[in-house]
Amino acid sequence: MSAMHWIAVSIAVAVTTAVAAAGVVAVTTGWTLPLGRERILRPKLWGAGLLLIAFGTAFFLFLGPLGGVPTRHPYLPFLGIAVNFGGLALQLLAQRHGRTPVPPTNSAS
């Protein structure tokens, strides 16, 4: 493997680890990065989405382009992309309002 390959792997590991760490913090404490905090209504769900995105990205990168040896299953890295889309769906749901509670009606008449 060349030096450039190891540089790309190192960068991918650093970015994936940072995204996963932000996801763990959001899931455990409810804290999110200040960049889009006002749009995030459910930070724990947002963090779960970040964890799925980190896992999907790592699955894609390290079984696909940065894997080194070609596998017998060339479609396997694309499962990582599907997991990525699952994480994006969770993040979309984290930005939507939940159901509003309907006050009980008193229909004793």
Side-chain angles (χ1 to χ4, degrees):
M1 301 278 166
S2 68
M4 188 59 129
H5 174 79
W6 290 112
I7 291 172
V9 167
S10 301
I11 291 171
V13 166
V15 169
T16 304
T17 303
V19 171
V24 167
V25 167
V27 166
T28 57
T29 66
W31 184 86
T32 60
L33 294 171
L35 185 62
R37 188 178 293 166
E38 63 274 354
R39 289 189 324 233
I40 301 169
L41 301 175
R42 292 178 266 184
K44 293 188 180 200
L45 187 61
W46 179 269
L50 276 178
L51 284 173
L52 272 178
I53 287 172
F55 178 73
T57 302
F59 198 80
F60 172 73
L61 285 176
F62 297 120
L63 290 179
L66 299 179
V69 180
T71 64
R72 291 185 345 194
H73 306 288
Y75 58 87
L76 200 55
F78 295 106
L79 290 176
I81 293 175
V83 172
N84 245 340
F85 282 127
L88 288 173
L90 283 182
Q91 286 189 326
L92 268 173
L93 289 174
Q95 293 180 23
R96 297 190 64 197
H97 292 288
R99 286 189 264 167
T100 56
V102 178
T105 59
N106 210 357
S107 58
S109 53

